[in-house]
Amino acid sequence: DGSLRLEDGREPYEFVTVPLSGKKGIATLDNVCKVLSERTTFDNKCSLHLHLGGVPYDEFYIVRFIKLITMIQKELLTAFPAYKTNPGDYIGTKNYCRPLPNNIIPRTIPNIRSLSKDELEEYISASFNPIYHFVSDGQFPGVKYNRSVLSHPVTGAKWNINSRYSIVNLVPLMFKNFRTIEFRLHTPTSNRYKVFNWLLICSALARYAERLDVITLSTLTIKDVLDTVYPPAISNRLNNYLTYRK
């Protein structure tokens, strides 16, 4: 990984798994964490990036998901060290997981049951276009660039795409066949408990976004999300974990 280049010019490895799912996926991830903890080291220039698949990728879901992230990202950042917010001041690197700009979608998500079909389509279009503009690094949907063109307008190496360096990266969801959301915020770790907790938290965010089409929200906390998605035994554990990290 060139972003981790050492002073002597060597480039450390980036470890990537194949797509994982189900009980076998959990067992594999557990084994990966064990091997990494035994055979590798990392520093604060590293990160844990999680790709979550199996999520909707229609325009309305993307609007809801981005709205959710903009509502809880400030709180989410408090669970991580200050260098993740502004690494230039702490470790001398560029910011690889910037917060999403708060002005890319309207402030409220309407109750779709109160809208006509035309009103809903108008809302989705008006809300999605700024998101597309952000993720595509400056383009608006049209004949040349649109959802059916699975190729990002910025060609060449992926590190030339500016929008991917956000706490959530939607480039794989909108411009790649594998349709995943990349969560980029977590600090480096091979601790399986931290990895599994983060997996559950990210999964909750992706699932909760599907619920935003029937309620209008002005405020929202991560606790609201976890308590809605999971039974108390799981949500309490995750809420305690986040409190501990803060």
Side-chain angles (χ1 to χ4, degrees):
D1 188 330
S3 66
L4 305 177
R5 186 176 293 109
L6 303 177
E7 292 183 358
D8 62 8
R10 289 180 298 152
E11 295 183 355
Y13 291 109
E14 175 183 9
F15 293 91
V16 182
T17 71
V18 298
L20 304 174
S21 64
K23 293 181 180 180
K24 288 186 177 180
I26 294 297
T28 299
L29 189 57
D30 189 54
N31 289 333
V32 167
C33 290
K34 182 176 184 296
V35 172
L36 289 177
S37 65
E38 295 173 348
R39 306 182 65 176
T40 66
T41 60
F42 55 78
D43 60 20
N44 56 13
K45 292 183 179 179
C46 301
S47 291
L48 168 66
H49 293 170
L50 169 68
H51 281 261
L52 193 65
V55 299
Y57 52 89
D58 59 276
E59 293 181 3
F60 194 26
Y61 176 79
I62 292 172
V63 169
R64 288 172 288 175
F65 178 77
I66 290 295
K67 175 61 179 177
L68 171 61
I69 297 301
T70 59
M71 294 181 72
I72 57 90
Q73 63 181 352
K74 186 175 181 180
E75 180 190 2
L76 196 59
L77 285 166
T78 65
F80 294 94
Y83 77 82
K84 296 297 289 187
T85 305
N86 193 1
D89 289 347
Y90 293 93
I91 59 177
T93 65
K94 75 176 186 178
N95 196 337
Y96 290 99
C97 53
R98 298 185 296 265
L100 295 174
N102 286 311
N103 61 349
I104 61 175
I105 61 171
R107 291 187 176 184
T108 59
I109 296 287
N111 186 329
I112 63 171
R113 296 174 183 174
S114 67
L115 301 180
S116 68
K117 181 179 178 181
D118 290 342
E119 289 173 332
L120 179 59
E121 290 179 353
E122 181 180 355
Y123 171 81
I124 294 173
S125 178
S127 301
F128 179 75
N129 286 348
I131 297 173
Y132 187 96
H133 184 263
F134 170 75
V135 178
S136 66
D137 283 358
Q139 302 294 329
F140 282 107
V143 175
K144 185 176 182 180
Y145 301 115
N146 54 68
R147 291 292 311 286
S148 63
V149 179
L150 291 179
S151 178
H152 197 278
V154 177
T155 58
K158 65 181 182 180
W159 50 81
N160 293 326
I161 301 175
N162 185 57
S163 69
R164 69 189 296 267
Y165 298 118
S166 305
I167 63 173
V168 292
N169 170 23
L170 293 191
V171 172
L173 185 68
M174 295 172 57
F175 293 102
K176 301 293 183 180
N177 282 319
F178 40 86
R179 305 291 194 184
T180 62
I181 299 172
E182 182 187 20
F183 294 82
R184 299 176 56 88
L185 180 58
H186 206 287
T187 47
T189 184
S190 56
N191 183 308
R192 62 179 180 174
Y193 298 107
K194 292 182 179 180
V195 172
F196 288 134
N197 283 341
W198 184 236
L199 173 60
L200 289 172
I201 291 168
C202 294
S203 296
L205 294 174
R207 291 171 59 187
Y208 189 88
E210 297 183 61
R211 303 168 182 260
L212 284 178
D213 58 354
V214 295
I215 54 176
T216 301
L217 294 171
S218 57
T219 60
L220 184 70
T221 67
I222 300 174
K223 185 178 186 301
D224 295 330
V225 173
L226 297 176
D227 289 349
T228 300
V229 173
Y230 294 125
I234 297 177
S235 63
N236 289 340
R237 169 185 168 177
L238 296 175
N239 284 317
N240 289 337
Y241 172 70
L242 287 173
T243 300
Y244 169 77
R245 288 190 63 95
K246 296 176 183 180

Short mmCIF file of all heavy atoms in Angstrom, two decimals, residues 23 35 74 77 90 95 101 114 131-132 144 153 167 179 187 204 220 223 227 230 238 241 244:
data_model
loop_
_atom_site.label_atom_id
_atom_site.label_comp_id
_atom_site.label_asym_id
_atom_site.label_seq_id
_atom_site.Cartn_x
_atom_site.Cartn_y
_atom_site.Cartn_z
N LYS A 23 -21.99 -18.02 8.82
CA LYS A 23 -21.17 -18.56 9.90
C LYS A 23 -19.74 -18.81 9.46
O LYS A 23 -18.79 -18.59 10.21
CB LYS A 23 -21.80 -19.85 10.43
CG LYS A 23 -23.14 -19.66 11.13
CD LYS A 23 -23.68 -20.98 11.65
CE LYS A 23 -25.02 -20.79 12.37
NZ LYS A 23 -25.57 -22.06 12.88
N VAL A 35 -4.45 -14.64 13.16
CA VAL A 35 -3.18 -14.70 12.42
C VAL A 35 -2.54 -13.32 12.33
O VAL A 35 -1.32 -13.18 12.52
CB VAL A 35 -3.41 -15.30 11.02
CG1 VAL A 35 -2.14 -15.19 10.18
CG2 VAL A 35 -3.85 -16.75 11.12
N LYS A 74 -20.89 13.13 13.47
CA LYS A 74 -20.19 13.88 14.51
C LYS A 74 -20.07 13.06 15.78
O LYS A 74 -19.01 13.03 16.42
CB LYS A 74 -20.92 15.20 14.79
CG LYS A 74 -20.19 16.11 15.76
CD LYS A 74 -20.91 17.44 15.91
CE LYS A 74 -20.16 18.36 16.87
NZ LYS A 74 -20.87 19.68 17.02
N LEU A 77 -17.57 10.11 15.28
CA LEU A 77 -16.17 10.50 15.34
C LEU A 77 -15.64 10.57 16.77
O LEU A 77 -14.44 10.42 17.00
CB LEU A 77 -15.97 11.85 14.65
CG LEU A 77 -16.00 11.83 13.12
CD1 LEU A 77 -16.14 13.24 12.56
CD2 LEU A 77 -14.75 11.17 12.56
N TYR A 90 -1.69 15.62 13.55
CA TYR A 90 -1.22 14.65 14.52
C TYR A 90 -0.15 13.71 13.97
O TYR A 90 0.84 13.43 14.64
CB TYR A 90 -2.40 13.83 15.05
CG TYR A 90 -3.38 14.64 15.87
CD1 TYR A 90 -4.49 15.23 15.28
CD2 TYR A 90 -3.18 14.82 17.24
CE1 TYR A 90 -5.39 15.98 16.04
CE2 TYR A 90 -4.06 15.57 18.00
CZ TYR A 90 -5.17 16.15 17.39
OH TYR A 90 -6.05 16.90 18.13
N ASN A 95 -6.02 13.41 5.07
CA ASN A 95 -7.19 12.80 5.69
C ASN A 95 -7.81 11.80 4.72
O ASN A 95 -8.36 12.18 3.69
CB ASN A 95 -8.21 13.88 6.08
CG ASN A 95 -9.24 13.36 7.05
OD1 ASN A 95 -9.48 12.16 7.12
ND2 ASN A 95 -9.87 14.24 7.80
N PRO A 101 -19.85 16.18 3.75
CA PRO A 101 -20.37 17.55 3.86
C PRO A 101 -21.84 17.52 4.22
O PRO A 101 -22.62 16.74 3.67
CB PRO A 101 -20.14 18.13 2.46
CG PRO A 101 -20.04 16.94 1.56
CD PRO A 101 -19.44 15.85 2.37
N SER A 114 -47.02 10.32 2.76
CA SER A 114 -47.74 11.58 2.60
C SER A 114 -47.50 12.22 1.23
O SER A 114 -48.05 13.28 0.93
CB SER A 114 -47.30 12.57 3.69
OG SER A 114 -45.94 12.94 3.51
N ILE A 131 -25.70 14.29 -4.29
CA ILE A 131 -24.90 13.15 -3.84
C ILE A 131 -24.09 12.59 -5.00
O ILE A 131 -22.89 12.31 -4.87
CB ILE A 131 -25.82 12.05 -3.25
CG1 ILE A 131 -26.53 12.57 -2.01
CG2 ILE A 131 -24.99 10.80 -2.91
CD1 ILE A 131 -27.57 11.62 -1.46
N TYR A 132 -24.73 12.44 -6.15
CA TYR A 132 -24.02 11.97 -7.34
C TYR A 132 -22.88 12.94 -7.69
O TYR A 132 -21.77 12.50 -8.01
CB TYR A 132 -24.98 11.85 -8.52
CG TYR A 132 -24.36 11.20 -9.74
CD1 TYR A 132 -24.54 9.84 -9.98
CD2 TYR A 132 -23.60 11.94 -10.64
CE1 TYR A 132 -23.97 9.24 -11.09
CE2 TYR A 132 -23.04 11.35 -11.75
CZ TYR A 132 -23.22 10.00 -11.97
OH TYR A 132 -22.64 9.41 -13.07
N LYS A 144 -23.98 11.12 -20.45
CA LYS A 144 -22.64 10.55 -20.37
C LYS A 144 -22.38 9.87 -19.04
O LYS A 144 -21.77 8.79 -18.98
CB LYS A 144 -21.59 11.64 -20.62
CG LYS A 144 -20.16 11.11 -20.69
CD LYS A 144 -19.18 12.22 -21.04
CE LYS A 144 -17.76 11.69 -21.15
NZ LYS A 144 -16.80 12.76 -21.49
N PRO A 153 -16.29 8.80 -13.35
CA PRO A 153 -15.79 9.81 -14.29
C PRO A 153 -14.29 10.07 -14.17
O PRO A 153 -13.65 10.46 -15.15
CB PRO A 153 -16.60 11.06 -13.91
CG PRO A 153 -17.87 10.52 -13.34
CD PRO A 153 -17.46 9.28 -12.60
N ILE A 167 -15.63 9.11 5.36
CA ILE A 167 -15.84 8.08 6.38
C ILE A 167 -16.67 6.93 5.81
O ILE A 167 -16.54 5.79 6.26
CB ILE A 167 -16.46 8.64 7.66
CG1 ILE A 167 -17.85 9.22 7.40
CG2 ILE A 167 -15.57 9.68 8.28
CD1 ILE A 167 -18.54 9.61 8.68
N ARG A 179 -21.15 -3.56 -5.67
CA ARG A 179 -22.20 -2.88 -4.92
C ARG A 179 -22.01 -2.97 -3.41
O ARG A 179 -22.82 -3.55 -2.69
CB ARG A 179 -23.56 -3.47 -5.29
CG ARG A 179 -23.90 -3.46 -6.77
CD ARG A 179 -24.13 -2.07 -7.30
NE ARG A 179 -24.76 -2.09 -8.63
CZ ARG A 179 -25.01 -1.01 -9.36
NH1 ARG A 179 -24.68 0.18 -8.89
NH2 ARG A 179 -25.58 -1.10 -10.54
N THR A 187 -9.97 2.72 13.32
CA THR A 187 -8.53 2.65 13.53
C THR A 187 -8.03 1.23 13.25
O THR A 187 -8.80 0.28 13.25
CB THR A 187 -8.21 3.01 14.99
OG1 THR A 187 -9.10 2.30 15.86
CG2 THR A 187 -8.38 4.50 15.23
N ALA A 204 -25.84 -2.18 11.30
CA ALA A 204 -27.01 -1.48 11.83
C ALA A 204 -27.28 -0.19 11.07
O ALA A 204 -28.44 0.14 10.77
CB ALA A 204 -26.82 -1.19 13.31
N LEU A 220 -31.04 12.46 15.81
CA LEU A 220 -30.86 11.01 15.83
C LEU A 220 -29.53 10.70 16.49
O LEU A 220 -28.54 11.40 16.28
CB LEU A 220 -30.88 10.45 14.41
CG LEU A 220 -30.80 8.92 14.27
CD1 LEU A 220 -32.09 8.27 14.76
CD2 LEU A 220 -30.53 8.53 12.83
N LYS A 223 -27.33 5.42 19.41
CA LYS A 223 -28.11 4.56 20.30
C LYS A 223 -29.50 4.30 19.73
O LYS A 223 -30.02 3.18 19.80
CB LYS A 223 -28.23 5.18 21.69
CG LYS A 223 -28.91 4.30 22.72
CD LYS A 223 -28.94 4.95 24.08
CE LYS A 223 -29.51 4.01 25.14
NZ LYS A 223 -30.87 3.56 24.85
N ASP A 227 -30.64 0.50 19.06
CA ASP A 227 -31.80 0.01 19.80
C ASP A 227 -32.94 -0.40 18.88
O ASP A 227 -33.75 -1.26 19.23
CB ASP A 227 -32.30 1.08 20.78
CG ASP A 227 -31.35 1.30 21.95
OD1 ASP A 227 -30.43 0.48 22.12
OD2 ASP A 227 -31.52 2.30 22.68
N TYR A 230 -31.36 -3.90 16.73
CA TYR A 230 -30.98 -5.12 17.44
C TYR A 230 -31.80 -5.34 18.71
O TYR A 230 -32.31 -4.38 19.30
CB TYR A 230 -29.50 -5.06 17.83
CG TYR A 230 -28.55 -5.08 16.66
CD1 TYR A 230 -27.60 -4.07 16.50
CD2 TYR A 230 -28.59 -6.09 15.72
CE1 TYR A 230 -26.72 -4.08 15.43
CE2 TYR A 230 -27.71 -6.12 14.65
CZ TYR A 230 -26.78 -5.11 14.50
OH TYR A 230 -25.92 -5.12 13.44
N LEU A 238 -23.28 -3.10 22.34
CA LEU A 238 -22.68 -2.17 21.40
C LEU A 238 -22.69 -0.74 21.94
O LEU A 238 -21.72 0.01 21.76
CB LEU A 238 -23.39 -2.24 20.06
CG LEU A 238 -23.28 -3.57 19.32
CD1 LEU A 238 -24.14 -3.57 18.06
CD2 LEU A 238 -21.84 -3.88 18.96
N TYR A 241 -19.99 -0.48 24.42
CA TYR A 241 -18.70 -0.46 23.73
C TYR A 241 -18.38 0.94 23.21
O TYR A 241 -17.26 1.44 23.39
CB TYR A 241 -18.72 -1.47 22.58
CG TYR A 241 -17.52 -1.41 21.67
CD1 TYR A 241 -16.26 -1.84 22.12
CD2 TYR A 241 -17.62 -0.93 20.37
CE1 TYR A 241 -15.15 -1.78 21.29
CE2 TYR A 241 -16.52 -0.88 19.54
CZ TYR A 241 -15.29 -1.31 19.99
OH TYR A 241 -14.19 -1.24 19.18
N TYR A 244 -17.52 3.26 26.04
CA TYR A 244 -16.16 2.98 26.49
C TYR A 244 -15.14 3.64 25.56
O TYR A 244 -14.15 4.23 26.03
CB TYR A 244 -15.94 1.47 26.55
CG TYR A 244 -14.50 1.07 26.74
CD1 TYR A 244 -13.90 1.15 27.98
CD2 TYR A 244 -13.73 0.62 25.65
CE1 TYR A 244 -12.56 0.79 28.16
CE2 TYR A 244 -12.41 0.26 25.81
CZ TYR A 244 -11.83 0.34 27.07
OH TYR A 244 -10.51 -0.01 27.24
#
